[in-house]
Amino acid sequence: MSDLFEALVLGVIQGLTEFLPISSSAHLRIFPELFGWGDPGAAFTAVVQIGTELAVLIYFRRDIWRIGSTWARSLVKPELRGQLDARMGWYIIVGSLPIVVLGLFFEDAIDRQLRSLWIIGTTLIVLGIVLGLADRYGANDRGLNKLGLKHAVLMGAAQAAALVPGVSRSGATISMGRALGYGRADATRYAFLLAIPAVVGAGLYKLKDVPGSDNPYGWGPTLLATVVSFVVGYAAIAWLLRYVSTRSYTPFVVYRVLLGAGVLLLVAFGVLQA
Protein backbone atom coordinates (compact mmCIF):
# COMPACT_ATOMS: atom_id res chain seq x y z
CA MET A 1 0.00 0.00 0.00
CA SER A 2 2.89 2.38 0.71
CA ASP A 3 4.17 1.91 -2.84
CA LEU A 4 0.73 2.74 -4.23
CA PHE A 5 0.47 5.88 -2.08
CA GLU A 6 3.91 7.03 -3.15
CA ALA A 7 3.03 6.36 -6.78
CA LEU A 8 -0.18 8.37 -6.41
CA VAL A 9 1.73 11.37 -5.03
CA LEU A 10 4.41 11.11 -7.70
CA GLY A 11 1.75 10.91 -10.41
CA VAL A 12 0.22 14.15 -9.15
CA ILE A 13 3.66 15.81 -9.08
CA GLN A 14 4.39 14.63 -12.63
CA GLY A 15 1.04 15.85 -13.93
CA LEU A 16 1.43 19.26 -12.31
CA THR A 17 5.02 19.87 -13.39
CA GLU A 18 5.42 18.28 -16.84
CA PHE A 19 3.96 21.19 -18.78
CA LEU A 20 4.94 24.05 -16.51
CA PRO A 21 8.49 25.26 -17.28
CA ILE A 22 9.82 24.02 -13.93
CA SER A 23 11.10 20.50 -14.81
CA SER A 24 9.05 17.46 -13.89
CA SER A 25 12.16 15.24 -13.75
CA ALA A 26 13.69 17.57 -11.16
CA HIS A 27 10.57 17.40 -9.01
CA LEU A 28 10.42 13.61 -9.27
CA ARG A 29 14.00 13.54 -8.02
CA ILE A 30 13.76 16.22 -5.30
CA PHE A 31 10.46 15.54 -3.56
CA PRO A 32 10.83 11.76 -3.09
CA GLU A 33 14.19 12.54 -1.48
CA LEU A 34 12.54 15.09 0.81
CA PHE A 35 9.86 12.56 1.75
CA GLY A 36 12.49 9.92 2.49
CA TRP A 37 11.38 7.66 -0.39
CA GLY A 38 14.63 7.76 -2.33
CA ASP A 39 15.17 8.28 -6.05
CA PRO A 40 12.35 6.67 -8.11
CA GLY A 41 14.82 6.27 -10.97
CA ALA A 42 15.02 7.26 -14.60
CA ALA A 43 12.86 4.36 -15.81
CA PHE A 44 9.94 5.26 -13.53
CA THR A 45 10.25 8.94 -14.52
CA ALA A 46 10.28 8.18 -18.26
CA VAL A 47 7.33 5.77 -18.17
CA VAL A 48 5.14 8.03 -16.01
CA GLN A 49 5.70 10.82 -18.54
CA ILE A 50 3.75 8.74 -21.06
CA GLY A 51 0.63 9.63 -19.05
CA THR A 52 1.16 13.35 -19.46
CA GLU A 53 1.96 12.96 -23.15
CA LEU A 54 -1.31 11.04 -23.58
CA ALA A 55 -2.96 14.17 -22.18
CA VAL A 56 -1.20 16.17 -24.93
CA LEU A 57 -2.38 13.73 -27.60
CA ILE A 58 -5.99 14.07 -26.48
CA TYR A 59 -5.94 17.81 -25.82
CA PHE A 60 -4.34 18.59 -29.19
CA ARG A 61 -5.98 15.70 -31.04
CA ARG A 62 -7.42 17.92 -33.77
CA ASP A 63 -4.12 19.70 -34.36
CA ILE A 64 -2.21 16.41 -34.32
CA TRP A 65 -4.62 14.74 -36.75
CA ARG A 66 -4.54 17.72 -39.08
CA ILE A 67 -0.74 17.91 -39.05
CA GLY A 68 -0.24 14.15 -39.33
CA SER A 69 -2.76 13.61 -42.12
CA THR A 70 -1.56 16.62 -44.14
CA TRP A 71 2.07 15.57 -43.74
CA ALA A 72 1.30 11.98 -44.81
CA ARG A 73 -0.70 13.12 -47.86
CA SER A 74 2.03 15.58 -48.83
CA LEU A 75 4.39 12.65 -49.35
CA VAL A 76 2.44 11.72 -52.46
CA LYS A 77 0.80 15.05 -53.28
CA PRO A 78 3.43 17.74 -54.01
CA GLU A 79 0.82 20.50 -53.99
CA LEU A 80 0.35 20.03 -50.22
CA ARG A 81 4.02 20.41 -49.31
CA GLY A 82 3.84 24.17 -48.98
CA GLN A 83 1.03 24.04 -46.42
CA LEU A 84 1.91 24.86 -42.81
CA ASP A 85 0.60 21.56 -41.46
CA ALA A 86 2.76 19.53 -43.87
CA ARG A 87 5.81 21.60 -42.97
CA MET A 88 4.96 21.34 -39.28
CA GLY A 89 5.11 17.55 -39.54
CA TRP A 90 8.67 17.78 -40.86
CA TYR A 91 9.63 20.38 -38.25
CA ILE A 92 8.50 18.12 -35.41
CA ILE A 93 10.40 15.16 -36.89
CA VAL A 94 13.60 17.12 -37.47
CA GLY A 95 13.29 18.94 -34.14
CA SER A 96 13.02 15.61 -32.31
CA LEU A 97 16.27 14.22 -33.70
CA PRO A 98 18.69 16.02 -31.31
CA ILE A 99 17.05 14.71 -28.13
CA VAL A 100 16.72 11.18 -29.56
CA VAL A 101 20.36 10.95 -30.67
CA LEU A 102 21.80 12.54 -27.53
CA GLY A 103 19.45 10.56 -25.29
CA LEU A 104 20.68 7.26 -26.68
CA PHE A 105 24.32 8.36 -26.70
CA PHE A 106 24.36 9.64 -23.11
CA GLU A 107 21.84 7.20 -21.64
CA ASP A 108 24.07 5.98 -18.80
CA ALA A 109 25.02 9.50 -17.71
CA ILE A 110 21.39 10.63 -17.84
CA ASP A 111 20.27 7.67 -15.74
CA ARG A 112 23.00 8.12 -13.12
CA GLN A 113 25.47 11.00 -12.89
CA LEU A 114 23.14 13.73 -14.16
CA ARG A 115 20.54 12.90 -11.50
CA SER A 116 22.79 14.47 -8.85
CA LEU A 117 20.94 17.08 -6.80
CA TRP A 118 23.94 19.38 -7.18
CA ILE A 119 23.35 19.39 -10.92
CA ILE A 120 19.57 19.64 -10.61
CA GLY A 121 19.71 22.58 -8.21
CA THR A 122 22.14 24.41 -10.48
CA THR A 123 20.18 23.82 -13.67
CA LEU A 124 16.94 24.94 -12.01
CA ILE A 125 18.54 28.29 -11.24
CA VAL A 126 20.49 28.80 -14.48
CA LEU A 127 17.70 27.80 -16.85
CA GLY A 128 15.21 29.76 -14.76
CA ILE A 129 17.28 32.90 -15.37
CA VAL A 130 17.54 32.02 -19.08
CA LEU A 131 13.75 31.67 -19.27
CA GLY A 132 13.28 34.98 -17.50
CA LEU A 133 15.64 36.85 -19.84
CA ALA A 134 14.17 35.25 -22.97
CA ASP A 135 10.64 36.06 -21.87
CA ARG A 136 11.48 39.63 -20.90
CA TYR A 137 13.50 40.60 -23.96
CA GLY A 138 12.02 38.29 -26.60
CA ALA A 139 9.83 39.95 -29.20
CA ASN A 140 6.25 38.90 -29.90
CA ASP A 141 6.31 39.35 -33.65
CA ARG A 142 6.29 35.73 -34.78
CA GLY A 143 3.54 33.12 -34.90
CA LEU A 144 3.85 29.45 -35.78
CA ASN A 145 2.88 30.36 -39.34
CA LYS A 146 6.37 31.89 -39.61
CA LEU A 147 8.17 28.82 -38.27
CA GLY A 148 10.94 27.60 -40.57
CA LEU A 149 13.44 24.74 -40.59
CA LYS A 150 16.23 26.77 -38.94
CA HIS A 151 14.08 27.73 -35.97
CA ALA A 152 12.67 24.19 -35.72
CA VAL A 153 16.22 22.83 -35.41
CA LEU A 154 17.15 25.47 -32.82
CA MET A 155 14.11 24.68 -30.68
CA GLY A 156 14.82 20.97 -31.07
CA ALA A 157 18.38 21.53 -29.87
CA ALA A 158 17.04 23.49 -26.90
CA GLN A 159 14.65 20.66 -26.05
CA ALA A 160 17.60 18.24 -26.03
CA ALA A 161 19.10 20.19 -23.11
CA ALA A 162 16.23 18.82 -21.02
CA LEU A 163 17.99 15.46 -20.94
CA VAL A 164 19.66 17.01 -17.90
CA PRO A 165 17.11 16.89 -15.03
CA GLY A 166 16.26 20.38 -13.86
CA VAL A 167 16.34 22.00 -17.29
CA SER A 168 12.66 21.40 -18.22
CA ARG A 169 11.70 20.24 -21.68
CA SER A 170 8.97 22.82 -22.09
CA GLY A 171 11.06 25.50 -20.39
CA ALA A 172 14.04 25.04 -22.70
CA THR A 173 11.91 24.99 -25.85
CA ILE A 174 9.85 27.98 -24.73
CA SER A 175 13.02 29.92 -23.86
CA MET A 176 14.40 29.38 -27.34
CA GLY A 177 11.04 30.19 -28.90
CA ARG A 178 10.73 33.43 -26.95
CA ALA A 179 14.33 34.37 -27.78
CA LEU A 180 13.51 33.86 -31.47
CA GLY A 181 10.52 36.19 -31.18
CA TYR A 182 7.56 33.80 -30.92
CA GLY A 183 4.65 34.78 -28.72
CA ARG A 184 4.15 33.00 -25.40
CA ALA A 185 1.10 31.00 -26.49
CA ASP A 186 2.73 29.94 -29.79
CA ALA A 187 6.04 28.97 -28.15
CA THR A 188 4.18 26.99 -25.48
CA ARG A 189 1.93 25.20 -27.97
CA TYR A 190 4.90 24.21 -30.15
CA ALA A 191 6.83 23.00 -27.07
CA PHE A 192 3.95 20.63 -26.27
CA LEU A 193 3.76 19.27 -29.83
CA LEU A 194 7.53 18.91 -30.19
CA ALA A 195 7.78 16.89 -26.98
CA ILE A 196 5.41 14.13 -28.12
CA PRO A 197 7.83 11.92 -30.14
CA ALA A 198 10.67 12.23 -27.62
CA VAL A 199 8.66 11.62 -24.46
CA VAL A 200 6.54 8.77 -25.83
CA GLY A 201 9.62 7.19 -27.37
CA ALA A 202 11.63 7.45 -24.14
CA GLY A 203 8.76 6.02 -22.10
CA LEU A 204 8.29 3.04 -24.39
CA TYR A 205 12.04 2.45 -24.49
CA LYS A 206 12.22 2.39 -20.68
CA LEU A 207 9.28 0.00 -20.26
CA LYS A 208 11.75 -2.86 -20.19
CA ASP A 209 13.30 -1.44 -17.00
CA VAL A 210 10.07 -1.10 -15.00
CA PRO A 211 10.22 -4.48 -13.18
CA GLY A 212 13.82 -3.97 -12.08
CA SER A 213 16.86 -1.89 -12.89
CA ASP A 214 16.81 1.37 -10.92
CA ASN A 215 13.01 1.42 -10.55
CA PRO A 216 12.02 0.65 -6.93
CA TYR A 217 8.36 0.30 -7.98
CA GLY A 218 6.74 -2.54 -9.87
CA TRP A 219 4.19 -2.45 -12.67
CA GLY A 220 1.18 -1.67 -10.45
CA PRO A 221 2.46 1.54 -8.82
CA THR A 222 4.09 2.69 -12.05
CA LEU A 223 0.84 2.30 -14.01
CA LEU A 224 -1.12 4.06 -11.23
CA ALA A 225 1.27 7.02 -11.35
CA THR A 226 0.96 7.11 -15.14
CA VAL A 227 -2.85 7.25 -15.03
CA VAL A 228 -2.84 9.94 -12.34
CA SER A 229 -0.31 12.02 -14.29
CA PHE A 230 -2.61 11.88 -17.32
CA VAL A 231 -5.62 13.25 -15.43
CA VAL A 232 -3.70 15.99 -13.65
CA GLY A 233 -1.63 16.81 -16.75
CA TYR A 234 -4.70 17.37 -18.91
CA ALA A 235 -5.94 20.02 -16.49
CA ALA A 236 -2.46 21.59 -16.32
CA ILE A 237 -2.31 22.01 -20.12
CA ALA A 238 -5.62 23.86 -20.26
CA TRP A 239 -4.63 26.12 -17.37
CA LEU A 240 -1.17 26.99 -18.71
CA LEU A 241 -2.38 27.89 -22.20
CA ARG A 242 -4.95 30.25 -20.69
CA TYR A 243 -2.37 31.70 -18.31
CA VAL A 244 0.35 32.51 -20.86
CA SER A 245 -2.13 34.20 -23.18
CA THR A 246 -2.20 37.20 -20.81
CA ARG A 247 0.71 36.82 -18.35
CA SER A 248 4.47 36.34 -18.27
CA TYR A 249 6.58 33.42 -17.03
CA THR A 250 7.98 35.45 -14.11
CA PRO A 251 6.32 33.38 -11.33
CA PHE A 252 7.88 30.21 -12.75
CA VAL A 253 11.29 31.90 -12.96
CA VAL A 254 11.11 32.95 -9.31
CA TYR A 255 9.94 29.49 -8.27
CA ARG A 256 12.79 27.79 -10.15
CA VAL A 257 15.45 30.01 -8.60
CA LEU A 258 14.08 29.59 -5.07
CA LEU A 259 13.67 25.82 -5.43
CA GLY A 260 17.16 25.42 -6.93
CA ALA A 261 18.75 27.52 -4.19
CA GLY A 262 16.84 25.57 -1.54
CA VAL A 263 18.00 22.23 -2.97
CA LEU A 264 21.64 23.34 -3.04
CA LEU A 265 21.46 24.54 0.56
CA LEU A 266 19.80 21.33 1.78
CA VAL A 267 22.44 19.23 0.03
CA ALA A 268 25.27 21.42 1.35
CA PHE A 269 24.03 21.02 4.95
CA GLY A 270 23.49 17.27 4.53
CA VAL A 271 19.71 17.33 4.80
CA LEU A 272 19.45 15.76 1.34
CA GLN A 273 21.79 13.24 -0.22
CA ALA A 274 23.05 14.35 -3.62
Side-chain angles (χ1 to χ4, degrees):
M1 290 300 294
S2 62
D3 282 355
L4 291 175
F5 174 74
E6 291 174 17
L8 175 65
V9 173
L10 295 178
V12 172
I13 292 174
Q14 166 63 25
L16 286 174
T17 59
E18 172 65 22
F19 303 113
L20 306 184
I22 56 177
S23 179
S24 62
S25 57
H27 284 73
L28 287 181
R29 175 71 177 91
I30 294 167
F31 283 90
E33 197 71 42
L34 280 172
F35 299 152
W37 300 343
D39 185 357
F44 176 87
T45 301
V47 173
V48 171
Q49 287 176 339
I50 293 178
T52 43
E53 286 313 301
L54 180 58
V56 172
L57 290 173
I58 294 177
Y59 191 90
F60 292 107
R61 60 190 180 278
R62 293 185 180 87
D63 292 346
I64 294 169
W65 173 257
R66 192 182 64 250
I67 291 170
S69 61
T70 304
W71 173 82
R73 287 184 289 120
S74 73
L75 297 176
V76 295
K77 294 183 177 181
E79 65 272 16
L80 295 177
R81 293 172 188 173
Q83 293 189 13
L84 176 61
D85 288 331
R87 290 186 285 113
M88 188 68 74
W90 284 115
Y91 296 156
I92 291 173
I93 293 171
V94 173
S96 299
L97 293 179
I99 197 170
V100 172
V101 173
L102 293 175
L104 291 173
F105 191 77
F106 293 105
E107 182 180 3
D108 288 341
I110 295 166
D111 288 354
R112 294 176 176 82
Q113 294 94 323
L114 295 181
R115 294 181 67 80
S116 165
L117 289 180
W118 285 115
I119 293 176
I120 290 174
T122 302
T123 53
L124 279 169
I125 296 171
V126 173
L127 271 296
I129 294 172
V130 169
L131 173 62
L133 292 174
D135 190 42
R136 180 177 179 83
Y137 296 106
N140 290 289
D141 55 359
R142 289 181 180 273
L144 290 182
N145 61 317
K146 295 183 179 180
L147 181 65
L149 182 60
K150 179 182 178 181
H151 286 182
V153 171
L154 288 173
M155 284 193 268
Q159 178 183 242
L163 290 169
V164 181
V167 170
S168 171
R169 185 179 296 101
S170 63
T173 308
I174 291 168
S175 295
M176 180 61 76
R178 294 290 294 124
L180 293 173
Y182 293 89
R184 294 188 183 101
D186 287 313
T188 302
R189 180 177 293 269
Y190 185 69
F192 290 167
L193 294 174
L194 182 61
I196 294 172
V199 175
V200 174
L204 294 176
Y205 178 73
K206 287 293 187 180
L207 281 175
K208 66 184 188 304
D209 297 330
V210 170
S213 185
D214 63 346
N215 180 13
Y217 302 102
W219 276 108
T222 301
L223 290 175
L224 173 62
T226 303
V227 172
V228 172
S229 73
F230 160 72
V231 176
V232 178
Y234 190 91
I237 294 173
W239 177 83
L240 183 61
L241 288 175
R242 287 196 303 270
Y243 178 89
V244 299
S245 64
T246 57
R247 302 179 186 178
S248 74
Y249 291 103
T250 300
F252 304 115
V253 173
V254 173
Y255 175 78
R256 287 183 63 109
V257 172
L258 292 178
L259 178 62
V263 168
L264 294 179
L265 286 173
L266 290 175
V267 174
F269 284 102
V271 178
L272 294 178
Q273 296 298 314

